[in-house]
Amino acid sequence: MLALPGLPLVHPGDDLAGLLASAIEAAGGVAPGDVLVLAQKIVSKAEGRYVDLATVTPSAEAERLSVETDKDARLVEVILRESRRVVRHSKHVLIVEHRCGFVMANAGIDRSNVDPVEGSDPVLLLPEDADASAARLSQALSARFGLSVAVVISDSFGRPWRQGTVGVALGAAGLPALRDLRGEPDLYGRPLRVTETGFADEIAAAASLLMGQGAEGQPAVLVRGLVLDGPDRPAADLIRGAGEDLFR
Amino acid sequence: MLALPGLPLVHPGDDLAGLLASAIEAAGGVAPGDVLVLAQKIVSKAEGRYVDLATVTPSAEAERLSVETDKDARLVEVILRESRRVVRHSKHVLIVEHRCGFVMANAGIDRSNVDPVEGSDPVLLLPEDADASAARLSQALSARFGLSVAVVISDSFGRPWRQGTVGVALGAAGLPALRDLRGEPDLYGRPLRVTETGFADEIAAAASLLMGQGAEGQPAVLVRGLVLDGPDRPAADLIRGAGEDLFR
């Protein structure tokens, strides 16, 4: 795994694929099977996914949740607009089902590492469709290098039952985000019972070790040496349907 | 990351630290900051953590849960003995709070990759105390190589809300399993809001990419190049207290 050096701070409208390609070239290029893991924030920034809280008027529900969670009502309003529903909340905690299906805190919105601007109060949303963003970036990089470059867009999630955040995949292209091992035998020839691995989530967690937490210093990590067999599957396949979930 | 080649199948009473040291030496030795990630199963096997289901008599509660989960009543009995309580159950699913605090399926017990023995039906439990096992192995390897070797004992967990298993840490020694970033500023100098990372869990997830799922083929992965700053913390620190948890 290599954290790409030399990537500039990303701004709305930047050609992110171009910036990444230059950084990859400077780092020695790509090899077959490479996966580029990108922190969600640089993708969102390039896509201009900012909302200025100074322009937001909270709904009554946002006002009520703001009191119960001790969060800015305008921020809660933006979180609710990005969400299908609230899964749990308590003081300082607001777990929602994001409109893309991710169950996560604050719909992935926070203020850290967003450029402060005089007279405004910007927050950064997740990419509109992180799988589509990953696919576009993968296509652009693959065309540039004449070689398939898989892309994972990652974020840090808290978890029930366990302390500490871990990297997870919001978007993926060019690899099986969910890997099916059904039917493969164990060491003694019996069918394996655990049948699917969160492949893109494990890649995101691995890359997170190099990205560091929160800071945008190393937002792009190239992962080399994985075997990407199996059909491509997007990160949307990592979302468990509500009907199969015992914890909503 | 390097999956250690040449490790033999592990049996009860084996000197696991000795087997690992030989495999590490054959692979070129250790470097400062190395973390050795071990699949739980080889640690449990060395510790002889087998139970023969042929010797188990299910309780009434195990019989009832066995019907509701469609699992072997003797296996359910062993799961309950290893657990503080049942968190959720449904057909084919039994989520418990393991006596060490992990919220997980089946108390980590399954039959895959356990040597079949004529006339008996062995299952393998988790190590008695995975943090203590990690500490013993870390001490033995550090003494052998004259250099601190951190150890993470990993397993694959399913998750609420997301499909696919990911590697997580059951035990850790020689590193901060939970890493505290409280007070570190973000890129723009404001305090970071997300304050702790599941460092050992991310290491376990990364190593899981090399171990493959389920099979015991590559149960030991050496991870090189991480910065292990911060005070050592065991994997027990990764467990969220029930009082802080909205999902039990």
Side-chain angles (χ1 to χ4, degrees):
Chain A
M1 296 199 289
L2 172 73
L4 291 180
L7 204 65
L9 288 181
V10 174
H11 300 288
D14 281 352
D15 170 20
L16 183 57
L19 297 175
L20 293 165
S22 300
I24 290 170
E25 262 168 12
V30 292
D34 275 4
V35 180
L36 183 63
V37 186
L38 302 174
Q40 159 265 319
K41 283 187 175 174
I42 63 167
V43 179
S44 291
K45 286 181 177 183
E47 294 180 1
R49 299 277 296 150
Y50 290 97
V51 172
D52 182 357
L53 291 187
T55 69
V56 173
T57 304
S59 64
E61 190 191 356
E63 292 281 8
R64 182 182 61 77
L65 275 169
S66 142
V67 173
E68 294 177 10
T69 59
D70 199 19
K71 289 177 185 285
D72 185 320
R74 303 165 306 163
L75 176 62
V76 173
E77 173 63 27
V78 178
I79 293 169
L80 292 179
R81 289 180 192 169
E82 279 286 284
S83 303
R84 291 176 188 158
R85 66 189 193 86
V86 175
V87 175
R88 292 280 194 291
H89 74 280
S90 71
K91 199 163 174 68
H92 306 301
V93 178
L94 181 54
I95 314 284
V96 300
E97 186 175 315
H98 184 274
R99 59 179 172 68
C100 295
F102 316 117
V103 178
M104 67 190 308
N106 307 321
I109 302 164
D110 78 63
R111 287 160 160 172
S112 62
N113 293 326
V114 173
D115 324 32
V117 179
E118 190 70 32
S120 77
D121 202 349
V123 295
L124 190 62
L125 312 186
L126 297 190
E128 181 73 32
D129 175 342
D131 276 325
S133 302
R136 279 192 301 270
L137 291 164
S138 173
Q139 280 157 19
L141 292 168
S142 300
R144 168 86 168 250
F145 291 107
L147 193 67
S148 173
V149 180
V151 169
V152 170
I153 297 173
S154 70
D155 199 359
S156 291
F157 277 24
R159 306 162 291 170
W161 316 327
R162 296 179 79 78
Q163 303 276 15
T165 61
V166 295
V168 300
L170 299 181
L175 52 69
L178 185 69
R179 193 168 222 172
D180 198 334
L181 301 175
R182 245 178 288 259
E184 288 187 24
D186 75 4
L187 271 186
Y188 302 98
R190 284 167 303 200
L192 277 178
R193 280 154 202 250
V194 174
T195 53
E196 290 185 313
T197 59
F199 189 55
D201 281 335
E202 292 191 327
I203 294 170
S208 173
L209 292 166
L210 269 71
M211 289 183 180
Q213 174 61 46
E216 202 190 13
Q218 304 203 112
V221 172
L222 201 58
V223 182
R224 184 160 296 165
L226 293 172
V227 177
L228 307 182
D229 55 352
D232 288 359
R233 297 178 70 176
D237 286 8
L238 288 164
I239 296 168
R240 190 188 289 274
E244 303 171 66
D245 197 326
L246 299 176
F247 296 94
R248 296 197 203 204
Chain B
M1 296 199 291
L2 172 74
L4 291 180
L7 202 66
L9 286 181
V10 174
H11 301 287
D14 280 353
D15 170 20
L16 183 57
L19 297 175
L20 292 166
S22 301
I24 289 169
E25 261 167 15
V30 292
D34 275 5
V35 181
L36 183 63
V37 186
L38 301 173
Q40 161 265 320
K41 282 187 177 174
I42 65 167
V43 179
S44 292
K45 285 181 177 183
E47 294 180 2
R49 298 277 296 150
Y50 290 97
V51 172
D52 182 356
L53 292 187
T55 70
V56 173
T57 306
S59 64
E61 190 192 356
E63 293 281 8
R64 181 182 61 79
L65 275 170
S66 139
V67 173
E68 293 177 9
T69 59
D70 198 20
K71 289 176 183 286
D72 185 318
R74 303 166 307 165
L75 177 62
V76 173
E77 174 63 27
V78 178
I79 293 169
L80 292 179
R81 289 179 192 170
E82 281 285 284
S83 304
R84 292 176 187 158
R85 65 188 194 87
V86 175
V87 176
R88 292 282 195 289
H89 74 280
S90 70
K91 199 165 174 71
H92 305 303
V93 178
L94 182 53
I95 313 284
V96 300
E97 185 174 315
H98 185 272
R99 58 179 172 67
C100 294
F102 315 116
V103 177
M104 65 191 309
N106 308 319
I109 303 164
D110 77 62
R111 287 160 158 170
S112 62
N113 293 326
V114 173
D115 323 32
V117 178
E118 189 71 32
S120 77
D121 202 347
V123 295
L124 190 61
L125 313 186
L126 298 190
E128 182 72 32
D129 176 344
D131 276 325
S133 301
R136 278 193 301 271
L137 291 163
S138 174
Q139 280 157 19
L141 292 168
S142 300
R144 167 84 167 252
F145 291 106
L147 192 68
S148 173
V149 180
V151 170
V152 169
I153 297 174
S154 70
D155 200 0
S156 291
F157 277 23
R159 305 164 291 171
W161 315 327
R162 295 180 77 78
Q163 303 277 14
T165 61
V166 295
V168 299
L170 298 181
L175 51 71
L178 185 67
R179 193 167 222 174
D180 197 335
L181 300 176
R182 246 178 289 257
E184 289 187 25
D186 75 3
L187 271 188
Y188 302 98
R190 283 166 303 200
L192 277 177
R193 279 152 202 253
V194 173
T195 53
E196 292 185 312
T197 60
F199 188 56
D201 282 334
E202 292 190 327
I203 294 170
S208 173
L209 291 166
L210 268 74
M211 289 182 179
Q213 175 60 48
E216 201 189 13
Q218 304 203 113
V221 171
L222 201 58
V223 182
R224 184 160 297 167
L226 292 173
V227 178
L228 307 183
D229 55 353
D232 288 359
R233 297 178 70 177
D237 286 5
L238 288 164
I239 296 168
R240 188 189 290 273
E244 303 170 66
D245 198 327
L246 300 174
F247 295 96
R248 301 198 197 201

